[in-house]
């Protein structure tokens, strides 16, 4: 051995013994990982970050929350399949699982990740307790994983939105394809009629009753809620559970939509617009042929209301005919069965004659018109000049004459269809009993029900 070679050997020995222990051997501090730099020399070893939040995240990921890392503590590079910026994510306890825990990188980390992917390649040994070295994911597999994660996140967001919709246990889409069910819940013949009303409402400037808008529920379902209240008189709790909203929202929707329907259907299409007798003659049914000049058939109907009023008010609304507190309205029906007039509601004790004189129907009659009514309408003396009244004959001498019998039979056969129209109106069960909180809206509720009744199929087949 020459003198130069001896000097080299001595220098290497002196250098090795002069290095501190930490410089000669570094071991990964992750539990169950035995990687050391003297065994796996191709692995990098990373110090813990100086940022406290990032350091706590690393400790949580490696499952050593109570460990206090020092300057010499290291985590081997095998635990960083996506680079140091993403943090340690691969461990013995999740290796080989279908969905190992992968923290979601920030935008900055994603940029660093892409840069790392471009530089990565080859093989990287795993922990020594796992045996032979394992391959690091290639750049293509990492990108595929990122794409799959993004797709899963989008799918998850979509499912969350669908779940939010499913919380509303009842909606128009569930019944729209079944006309009989639509008719049961709304009183309208089919889904097309309901959608027609939605179109009208969509063009109307809705002013919500409580001054706050209902945004989460679609307009078609707000309309359905209102129609269900009118048709079935469902309770507030029932509707709030069905439509996944509070009772205040139910009231807000019902009063708002019913008021809008009143303005659109009654005020816009029916108010002060009783068809003339000449127009009636264009669709006069066979049973009205003996009465070609009939302009309107009058009758009254009563609506039960809450009796939480003073004694004086109760006496005004008490109906001896119904035996309870009611409100009464005058209904006018054309010979073809179409309801053409509805008065405001009066106290149940108000007479038919008083309502007829006060409600404004007489002001729309003209000379030559004929009014048909029941016996209780003794209104001949208050009719405008030239307007005639046709009511059943009163029994005077103990027996009807043949002429009176025929006259009464003709009137009865004509009026039966009018009574059927009023019975249709009463199938909107809110008119069976109007709750106290809706009493001040009773006039609008009645007239909306009248308008909806006219949207049903015609009573007379010959008219249809």
């Amino acid at each position: 051995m020459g003198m130069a070679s001896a000097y080299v050997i001595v220098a290497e020995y002196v250098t090795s013994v002069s290095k501190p222990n930490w410089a000669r051997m570094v071991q990964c501090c992750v539990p169950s990982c035995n990687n050391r730099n003297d065994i796996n020399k191709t692995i990098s070893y990373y110090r813990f970050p100086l940022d406290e939040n990032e350091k706590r995240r690393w400790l949580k990921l490696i499952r050593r929350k109570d460990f206090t890392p020092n300057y010499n503590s290291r985590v081997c590079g095998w635990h960083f399949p996506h680079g140091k910026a993403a943090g340690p994510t691969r461990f013995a306890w999740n290796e080989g699982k279908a969905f190992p825990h992968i923290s979601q990188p920030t935008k900055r980390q994603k940029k660093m990740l892409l840069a790392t992917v471009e530089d990565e390649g080859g093989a990287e040994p795993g922990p020594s307790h796992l045996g032979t070295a394992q391959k690091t994911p290639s750049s293509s597999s990492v990108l595929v994983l990122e794409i799959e994660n993004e797709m899963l996140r989008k799918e998850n967001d979509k499912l969350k939105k669908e779940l939010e919709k499913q919380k509303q246990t009842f909606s128009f889409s569930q019944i729209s394809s079944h006309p009989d069910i639509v008719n049961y819940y709304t009183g309208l013949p089919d889904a097309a009629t309901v959608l027609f009303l939605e179109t009208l409402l969509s063009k109307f400037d809705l002013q919500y009753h409580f001054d706050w808008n209902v945004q989460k529920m679609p307009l078609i379902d707000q309309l359905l809620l209102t129609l269900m209240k009118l048709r079935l008189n469902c309770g507030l709790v029932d509707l709030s559970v069905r439509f996944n909203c509070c009772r205040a929202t139910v009231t807000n929707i019902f009063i708002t939509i019913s008021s809008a329907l009143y303005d659109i259907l009654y005020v816009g299409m029916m108010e002060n617009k009783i068809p003339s007798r000449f127009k009636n003659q264009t669709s006069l049914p066979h049973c009205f042929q003996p009465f070609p000049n009939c302009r309107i058939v009058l009758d009254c109907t009563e609506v039960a209301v809450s009796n939480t009023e003073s004694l004086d008010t109760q006496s005004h609304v008490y109906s001896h005919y119904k035996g309870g507190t009611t409100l009464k309205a005058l209904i006018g029906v054309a010979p073809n069965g179409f309801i053409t007039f509805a008065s405001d509601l009066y106290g149940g004790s108000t007479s038919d004659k008083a309502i007829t004189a006060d409600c404004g129907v007489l002001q729309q009659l003209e000379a030559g018109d004929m009014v048909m009514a029941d016996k209780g309408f003794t209104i001949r003396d208050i009719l405008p000049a030239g307007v005639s009244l046709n009511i059943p004959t009163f029994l005077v001498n103990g027996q009807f004459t043949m002429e009176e019998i025929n006259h009464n039979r003709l009137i009865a056969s004509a009026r039966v269809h009018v009574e059927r129209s009023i019975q249709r109106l009463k199938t909107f069960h809110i008119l069976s009993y109007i709750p106290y909180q809706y009493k001040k809206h009773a006039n609008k509720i009645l007239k909306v029900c009248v308008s909806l009744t006219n949207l049903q199929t015609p009573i007379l087949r010959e008219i249809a």
Side-chain angles (χ1 to χ4, degrees):
M1 178 184 297
M3 186 65 67
S5 300
Y7 283 149
V8 170
I9 293 173
V10 172
E12 288 179 350
Y13 174 78
V14 172
T15 304
S16 64
V17 299
S18 64
K19 289 183 180 180
N21 291 334
W22 60 264
R24 295 200 305 272
M25 186 186 75
V26 175
Q27 182 170 353
C28 179
C29 64
V30 175
S32 302
C33 181
N34 298 321
N35 277 342
R36 302 199 310 266
N37 66 341
D38 61 337
I39 297 176
N40 298 322
K41 298 182 179 180
T42 59
I43 298 179
S44 302
Y45 291 83
Y46 301 114
R47 290 191 179 91
F48 282 82
L50 297 177
D51 181 74
E52 290 298 325
N53 291 331
E54 189 69 9
K55 183 189 296 183
R56 281 194 294 269
R57 188 173 76 88
W58 279 32
L59 291 173
K60 182 179 179 181
L61 290 172
I62 69 173
R63 297 184 179 180
R64 296 193 67 177
K65 293 183 180 180
D66 298 330
F67 175 65
T68 302
N70 55 35
Y71 182 78
N72 299 323
S73 301
R74 301 286 195 281
V75 178
C76 75
W78 183 85
H79 303 288
F80 297 84
H82 305 299
K84 184 179 179 182
T89 57
R90 182 170 62 180
F91 306 99
W93 53 83
N94 68 12
E95 180 67 12
K97 291 185 179 180
F99 295 98
H101 173 77
I102 298 177
S103 60
Q104 299 300 328
T106 62
K107 290 183 178 179
R108 176 175 173 273
Q109 290 172 340
K110 285 182 179 179
K111 291 181 180 179
M112 297 179 67
L113 174 61
L114 291 175
T116 304
V117 167
E118 293 175 356
D119 296 335
E120 274 184 341
E124 202 175 69
S128 59
H129 76 280
L130 291 178
T132 59
Q134 301 179 12
K135 291 184 178 181
T136 312
S138 64
S139 60
S140 60
S141 64
V142 172
L143 290 175
V144 169
L145 183 60
E146 280 294 302
I147 293 172
E148 288 177 346
N149 285 340
E150 185 65 26
M151 292 174 64
L152 287 172
R153 281 194 292 271
K154 290 182 179 179
E155 183 69 17
N156 188 40
D157 293 339
K158 181 180 178 181
L159 291 173
K160 283 181 179 179
K161 291 179 180 178
E162 291 180 357
L163 184 61
E164 288 295 326
K165 291 181 180 179
Q166 291 174 3
K167 287 183 179 179
Q168 182 179 311
T169 58
F170 196 76
S171 65
F172 182 70
S173 61
Q174 294 174 286
I175 65 172
S176 58
S177 58
H178 304 282
D180 54 335
I181 300 178
V182 171
N183 179 260
Y184 173 79
Y185 282 110
T186 68
L188 300 176
D190 49 36
T193 310
V194 180
L195 293 172
F196 167 70
L197 292 180
E198 183 207 14
T199 301
L200 295 178
L201 287 171
S202 65
K203 298 177 181 178
F204 190 82
D205 184 19
L206 292 177
Q207 301 293 329
Y208 280 87
H209 176 67
F210 287 149
D211 295 328
W212 45 268
N213 295 345
V214 178
Q215 298 178 340
K216 289 188 177 181
M217 189 183 303
L219 181 59
I220 186 65
D221 290 334
Q222 295 184 44
L223 174 60
L224 175 62
L225 182 151
T226 303
L227 294 175
M228 287 176 61
K229 180 64 179 175
L230 295 171
R231 175 69 164 178
L232 304 175
N233 203 11
C234 300
L236 294 180
V237 175
D238 183 9
L239 292 172
S240 66
V241 172
R242 287 175 186 264
F243 291 91
N244 190 36
C245 61
C246 65
R247 283 174 284 182
T249 301
V250 172
T251 300
N252 192 22
I253 291 173
F254 174 71
I255 295 178
T256 301
I257 301 298
S258 59
S259 297
L261 292 175
Y262 166 77
D263 290 333
I264 295 170
L265 299 179
Y266 189 82
V267 176
M269 301 181 184
M270 290 183 60
E271 191 171 47
N272 299 322
K273 296 176 183 178
I274 298 177
S276 68
R277 66 179 183 273
F278 304 108
K279 191 168 185 177
N280 287 342
Q281 290 169 4
T282 62
S283 59
L284 199 67
H286 179 74
C287 58
F288 271 89
Q289 293 299 330
F291 315 104
N293 293 330
C294 182
R295 176 85 180 271
I296 194 169
V297 183
L298 299 179
D299 202 355
C300 280
T301 187
E302 295 187 54
V303 178
V305 291
S306 172
N307 60 358
T308 55
E309 302 283 354
S310 63
L311 292 178
D312 291 338
T313 305
Q314 285 190 38
S315 63
H316 175 64
V317 298
Y318 185 81
S319 170
H320 292 281
Y321 178 72
K322 292 290 185 179
T325 52
T326 65
L327 298 174
K328 183 189 287 189
L330 179 70
I331 303 297
V333 184
N336 62 6
F338 191 85
I339 301 177
T340 57
F341 180 83
S343 73
D344 287 340
L345 289 160
Y346 294 78
S349 63
T350 311
S351 67
D352 297 345
K353 183 176 182 179
I355 296 175
T356 305
D358 183 70
C359 68
V361 66
L362 300 180
Q363 284 71 26
Q364 300 188 55
L365 301 178
E366 301 173 351
D369 291 342
M370 187 264 281
V371 176
M372 186 178 289
D374 197 9
K375 286 182 180 180
F377 282 81
T378 56
I379 58 174
R380 198 180 303 273
D381 57 323
I382 62 173
L383 291 175
V387 177
S388 61
L389 177 66
N390 198 335
I391 61 175
T393 305
F394 285 91
L395 183 61
V396 178
N397 298 322
Q399 187 175 359
F400 287 114
T401 65
M402 187 57 65
E403 183 181 355
E404 290 173 337
I405 292 174
N406 291 333
H407 175 71
N408 290 348
R409 184 181 293 116
L410 290 173
I411 292 178
S413 64
R415 289 191 70 255
V416 66
H417 303 299
V418 174
E419 292 173 358
R420 287 173 61 197
S421 295
I422 295 178
Q423 286 302 315
R424 273 192 171 188
L425 173 63
K426 299 302 284 287
T427 60
F428 288 92
H429 294 300
I430 196 169
L431 299 181
S432 300
Y433 180 80
I434 295 181
Y436 175 76
Q437 65 266 34
Y438 298 139
K439 187 176 178 181
K440 63 181 180 179
H441 305 283
N443 286 324
K444 290 184 178 180
I445 290 173
L446 168 68
K447 293 174 182 180
V448 168
C449 292
V450 165
S451 303
L452 295 175
T453 302
N454 287 334
L455 293 178
Q456 297 176 350
T457 54
I459 288 179
L460 298 174
R461 184 175 299 176
E462 57 183 302
I463 299 302

mmCIF file of all heavy atoms in Angstrom, residues 350-358 376-382:
data_model
loop_
_atom_site.group_PDB
_atom_site.id
_atom_site.type_symbol
_atom_site.label_atom_id
_atom_site.label_comp_id
_atom_site.label_asym_id
_atom_site.label_seq_id
_atom_site.Cartn_x
_atom_site.Cartn_y
_atom_site.Cartn_z
ATOM 1 N N THR A 350 -128.653 37.310 7.850
ATOM 2 C CA THR A 350 -129.127 38.243 6.824
ATOM 3 C C THR A 350 -130.049 37.519 5.839
ATOM 4 O O THR A 350 -129.767 36.393 5.415
ATOM 5 C CB THR A 350 -127.939 38.849 6.049
ATOM 6 O OG1 THR A 350 -126.955 39.327 6.978
ATOM 7 C CG2 THR A 350 -128.391 39.987 5.156
ATOM 8 N N SER A 351 -131.148 38.154 5.476
ATOM 9 C CA SER A 351 -132.116 37.513 4.581
ATOM 10 C C SER A 351 -131.607 37.517 3.138
ATOM 11 O O SER A 351 -130.754 38.334 2.753
ATOM 12 C CB SER A 351 -133.461 38.248 4.647
ATOM 13 O OG SER A 351 -133.338 39.552 4.100
ATOM 14 N N ASP A 352 -132.176 36.594 2.346
ATOM 15 C CA ASP A 352 -131.798 36.518 0.929
ATOM 16 C C ASP A 352 -132.125 37.822 0.206
ATOM 17 O O ASP A 352 -131.359 38.289 -0.642
ATOM 18 C CB ASP A 352 -132.537 35.355 0.265
ATOM 19 C CG ASP A 352 -132.151 34.007 0.865
ATOM 20 O OD1 ASP A 352 -131.123 33.959 1.578
ATOM 21 O OD2 ASP A 352 -132.868 33.021 0.621
ATOM 22 N N LYS A 353 -133.252 38.405 0.559
ATOM 23 C CA LYS A 353 -133.688 39.637 -0.102
ATOM 24 C C LYS A 353 -132.740 40.787 0.205
ATOM 25 O O LYS A 353 -132.385 41.575 -0.684
ATOM 26 C CB LYS A 353 -135.108 39.984 0.331
ATOM 27 C CG LYS A 353 -135.680 41.213 -0.360
ATOM 28 C CD LYS A 353 -137.135 41.446 0.039
ATOM 29 C CE LYS A 353 -137.719 42.659 -0.695
ATOM 30 N NZ LYS A 353 -139.158 42.870 -0.329
ATOM 31 N N ALA A 354 -132.311 40.883 1.469
ATOM 32 C CA ALA A 354 -131.408 41.961 1.865
ATOM 33 C C ALA A 354 -130.062 41.839 1.142
ATOM 34 O O ALA A 354 -129.481 42.842 0.703
ATOM 35 C CB ALA A 354 -131.210 41.956 3.374
ATOM 36 N N ILE A 355 -129.563 40.613 1.022
ATOM 37 C CA ILE A 355 -128.292 40.412 0.320
ATOM 38 C C ILE A 355 -128.429 40.778 -1.152
ATOM 39 O O ILE A 355 -127.566 41.456 -1.730
ATOM 40 C CB ILE A 355 -127.821 38.955 0.469
ATOM 41 C CG1 ILE A 355 -127.516 38.644 1.942
ATOM 42 C CG2 ILE A 355 -126.589 38.698 -0.388
ATOM 43 C CD1 ILE A 355 -127.153 37.196 2.203
ATOM 44 N N THR A 356 -129.558 40.373 -1.778
ATOM 45 C CA THR A 356 -129.774 40.663 -3.206
ATOM 46 C C THR A 356 -129.826 42.171 -3.448
ATOM 47 O O THR A 356 -129.288 42.676 -4.438
ATOM 48 C CB THR A 356 -131.081 40.006 -3.684
ATOM 49 O OG1 THR A 356 -131.038 38.607 -3.388
ATOM 50 C CG2 THR A 356 -131.264 40.191 -5.180
ATOM 51 N N ALA A 357 -130.462 42.881 -2.529
ATOM 52 C CA ALA A 357 -130.600 44.327 -2.691
ATOM 53 C C ALA A 357 -129.270 45.054 -2.512
ATOM 54 O O ALA A 357 -129.038 46.106 -3.115
ATOM 55 C CB ALA A 357 -131.628 44.861 -1.702
ATOM 56 N N ASP A 358 -128.375 44.482 -1.698
ATOM 57 C CA ASP A 358 -127.148 45.202 -1.322
ATOM 58 C C ASP A 358 -125.925 44.799 -2.141
ATOM 59 O O ASP A 358 -124.989 45.586 -2.271
ATOM 60 C CB ASP A 358 -126.861 44.962 0.163
ATOM 61 C CG ASP A 358 -125.661 45.730 0.654
ATOM 62 O OD1 ASP A 358 -125.734 46.972 0.754
ATOM 63 O OD2 ASP A 358 -124.607 45.084 0.909
ATOM 64 N N GLY A 376 -137.869 31.433 -1.695
ATOM 65 C CA GLY A 376 -137.482 32.385 -0.659
ATOM 66 C C GLY A 376 -137.068 33.743 -1.181
ATOM 67 O O GLY A 376 -136.954 34.702 -0.400
ATOM 68 N N PHE A 377 -136.879 33.865 -2.469
ATOM 69 C CA PHE A 377 -136.436 35.139 -3.040
ATOM 70 C C PHE A 377 -137.664 35.970 -3.437
ATOM 71 O O PHE A 377 -138.044 36.032 -4.600
ATOM 72 C CB PHE A 377 -135.535 34.891 -4.251
ATOM 73 C CG PHE A 377 -134.125 34.500 -3.896
ATOM 74 C CD1 PHE A 377 -133.826 33.196 -3.541
ATOM 75 C CD2 PHE A 377 -133.112 35.433 -3.882
ATOM 76 C CE1 PHE A 377 -132.535 32.830 -3.204
ATOM 77 C CE2 PHE A 377 -131.816 35.083 -3.550
ATOM 78 C CZ PHE A 377 -131.514 33.776 -3.205
ATOM 79 N N THR A 378 -138.240 36.609 -2.455
ATOM 80 C CA THR A 378 -139.378 37.514 -2.713
ATOM 81 C C THR A 378 -138.824 38.887 -3.062
ATOM 82 O O THR A 378 -138.943 39.845 -2.287
ATOM 83 C CB THR A 378 -140.289 37.571 -1.476
ATOM 84 O OG1 THR A 378 -139.499 37.964 -0.337
ATOM 85 C CG2 THR A 378 -140.920 36.211 -1.192
ATOM 86 N N ILE A 379 -138.239 38.985 -4.240
ATOM 87 C CA ILE A 379 -137.488 40.189 -4.617
ATOM 88 C C ILE A 379 -138.133 40.923 -5.792
ATOM 89 O O ILE A 379 -137.527 41.820 -6.368
ATOM 90 C CB ILE A 379 -136.038 39.816 -4.988
ATOM 91 C CG1 ILE A 379 -136.025 38.809 -6.144
ATOM 92 C CG2 ILE A 379 -135.300 39.248 -3.781
ATOM 93 C CD1 ILE A 379 -134.637 38.487 -6.670
ATOM 94 N N ARG A 380 -139.373 40.574 -6.108
ATOM 95 C CA ARG A 380 -139.999 41.172 -7.277
ATOM 96 C C ARG A 380 -140.083 42.693 -7.164
ATOM 97 O O ARG A 380 -139.928 43.422 -8.150
ATOM 98 C CB ARG A 380 -141.409 40.587 -7.470
ATOM 99 C CG ARG A 380 -141.984 40.803 -8.889
ATOM 100 C CD ARG A 380 -143.389 40.192 -8.986
ATOM 101 N NE ARG A 380 -143.387 38.795 -8.659
ATOM 102 C CZ ARG A 380 -143.143 37.823 -9.521
ATOM 103 N NH1 ARG A 380 -142.851 38.127 -10.784
ATOM 104 N NH2 ARG A 380 -143.173 36.570 -9.139
ATOM 105 N N ASP A 381 -140.289 43.172 -5.952
ATOM 106 C CA ASP A 381 -140.485 44.612 -5.769
ATOM 107 C C ASP A 381 -139.182 45.407 -5.836
ATOM 108 O O ASP A 381 -139.210 46.641 -5.906
ATOM 109 C CB ASP A 381 -141.169 44.872 -4.424
ATOM 110 C CG ASP A 381 -140.395 44.307 -3.250
ATOM 111 O OD1 ASP A 381 -139.800 43.214 -3.412
ATOM 112 O OD2 ASP A 381 -140.359 44.942 -2.181
ATOM 113 N N ILE A 382 -138.034 44.744 -5.795
ATOM 114 C CA ILE A 382 -136.760 45.481 -5.833
ATOM 115 C C ILE A 382 -136.038 45.299 -7.168
ATOM 116 O O ILE A 382 -134.947 45.851 -7.357
ATOM 117 C CB ILE A 382 -135.831 45.053 -4.677
ATOM 118 C CG1 ILE A 382 -135.461 43.560 -4.794
ATOM 119 C CG2 ILE A 382 -136.461 45.363 -3.331
ATOM 120 C CD1 ILE A 382 -134.408 43.131 -3.778
#
